Amino acid sequence: MGAGHDHGHTHGPATGTAASAHRGRLRIALGITLFVMVAEIVGGLLADSLALVADAAHMATDALGLGMALLAIHFANRPPSEKRTFGFARAEILAALANCLLLLGVGSYVVYEAVERFFFTPAETSGPLALAFGAVGLLANVVSLSLLMRGQRESLNVRGAFLEVAADALGSVAVILSALVIMATGWQAADPIASLLIGAMIVPRTLRLLRETLDILLEAAPKGVDMAEVRRHMEELPGVVGVHDLHAWTITSGMPVLSAHVVVEADQLDAAAHEKLLHELQECLGGHFDVEHCTFQLEPSGHAPHEAGLCH
């Protein structure tokens, strides 16, 4: 009665995760991030600019996040085993979750320090130095963003890195604007205000990524897959009487999976009809919903109560 069918498709970690195709770009982005981080730390100390130091702290978490993303790709592409049947594919999502927590921590810290400096410990920031180092940071971030642009559409892990670099780019813009204000007016409060903006830019993007990551960890239906529509499409196939125990979830970015018990008419259980219906189910799910890794159990009417009895 039971059958898993994949029509010759190759699934799972053996093909590599969505992030693995962008490993080289992630490495280049990591090198750029480390360079800018050191430059902004030096610039922040020389110019006494909290905005530069805040952006450098964010860069440090970016570097750690990119390093974890690369490490996750390494583990995610290890082959499956008898104990871990999907290999380490979920490691990519765990890395994305860790990135989210790091970003939230840094965003909170930057906001706290900006308020502290604005109200209690004002400082004299060198506008020209802050401008020069901010421009270097912006240029480097633009290069990194161009490297990660395509990958962030395919992988949550790469998207986390992309959002971190994007926030850094906006942070560099804030540093440049605050430096220009200080140079033009001497208004030193522009620096902590820019720092506050940097912190405020980090949090909303991180919360969106965190929600997507938690959806995967909690095995919610894959993004963009309407389960009611999936059921309707399956039940409209000739020979299908009903569908129950329908589940869909995501192992890692680009790896949605689905399982279902399909109640069929008696004449669908002979070998030829059985195989034909499996092909039709697979084509339905792969063609309409882009879910190719499916496991179906074909069963006659009246089998479900017997199956429920076996569970007690």
Side-chain angles (χ1 to χ4, degrees):
M1 301 290 182
H5 198 64
D6 64 11
H7 281 249
H9 295 296
T10 302
H11 304 291
T15 61
T17 62
S20 61
H22 307 282
R23 185 174 356 208
R25 293 170 180 263
L26 282 168
R27 286 172 177 160
I28 296 172
L30 175 58
I32 293 172
T33 300
L34 289 172
F35 169 77
V36 176
M37 179 191 73
V38 173
E40 288 192 337
I41 289 174
V42 173
L45 294 174
L46 291 175
D48 199 11
S49 168
L50 175 63
L52 273 174
V53 173
D55 208 30
H58 188 199
M59 281 285 190
T61 64
D62 288 354
L64 183 58
L66 287 164
M68 288 193 302
L70 288 166
L71 189 63
I73 290 170
H74 169 74
F75 281 110
N77 286 302
R78 293 177 63 179
S81 64
E82 293 296 324
K83 185 176 181 180
R84 295 182 175 86
T85 55
F86 281 101
F88 288 84
R90 189 57 65 87
E92 180 188 6
I93 304 304
L94 295 177
L97 177 62
N99 284 350
C100 290
L101 298 178
L102 283 169
L103 279 168
L104 288 174
V106 169
S108 301
Y109 172 77
V110 167
V111 170
Y112 169 80
E113 285 295 321
V115 171
E116 178 77 14
R117 178 169 287 203
F118 186 83
F119 288 106
F120 304 108
T121 56
E124 292 292 322
T125 300
S126 171
L129 279 175
L131 177 63
F133 283 98
V136 170
L138 179 60
L139 178 61
N141 284 320
V142 168
V143 173
S144 293
L145 285 174
S146 66
L147 290 171
L148 301 175
M149 177 68 73
R150 188 177 66 179
Q152 64 95 18
R153 301 189 188 100
E154 302 170 4
S155 163
L156 280 179
N157 210 11
V158 178
R159 190 182 309 173
F162 178 86
L163 290 176
E164 289 170 345
V165 176
D168 275 334
L170 293 173
S172 295
V173 171
V175 170
I176 291 170
L177 291 177
S178 69
L180 290 173
V181 169
I182 291 171
M183 291 169 64
T185 67
W187 190 48
Q188 293 292 326
D191 185 71
I193 289 175
S195 305
L196 192 62
L197 290 174
I198 292 171
M201 287 185 293
I202 294 171
V203 176
R205 293 174 174 83
T206 303
L207 290 176
R208 283 195 294 271
L209 177 63
L210 180 62
R211 184 173 63 248
E212 291 184 45
T213 302
L214 290 177
D215 278 345
I216 290 179
L217 290 175
L218 295 174
E219 300 190 338
K223 187 177 180 181
V225 176
D226 185 332
M227 295 302 290
E229 279 295 295
V230 170
R231 184 184 297 275
R232 183 180 67 81
H233 274 258
M234 293 174 67
E235 291 180 340
E236 287 179 351
L237 290 174
V240 175
V241 176
V243 176
H244 65 95
D245 289 312
L246 175 62
H247 303 285
W249 65 102
T250 305
I251 300 300
T252 189
S253 302
M255 196 186 296
V257 295
L258 179 144
S259 68
H261 290 212
V262 184
V263 181
V264 299
E265 296 172 356
D267 61 0
Q268 297 294 317
L269 294 174
D270 66 78
H274 183 280
E275 183 174 0
K276 180 176 180 294
L277 182 55
L278 281 174
H279 278 272
E280 291 174 349
L281 285 165
Q282 185 68 46
E283 289 169 0
C284 174
L285 272 295
H288 289 100
F289 303 100
D290 199 27
V291 180
E292 297 184 349
H293 191 145
C294 302
T295 303
F296 302 112
Q297 175 170 305
L298 304 189
E299 59 189 41
S301 298
H303 179 73
H306 168 72
E307 191 173 77
L310 293 175
C311 296
H312 296 291

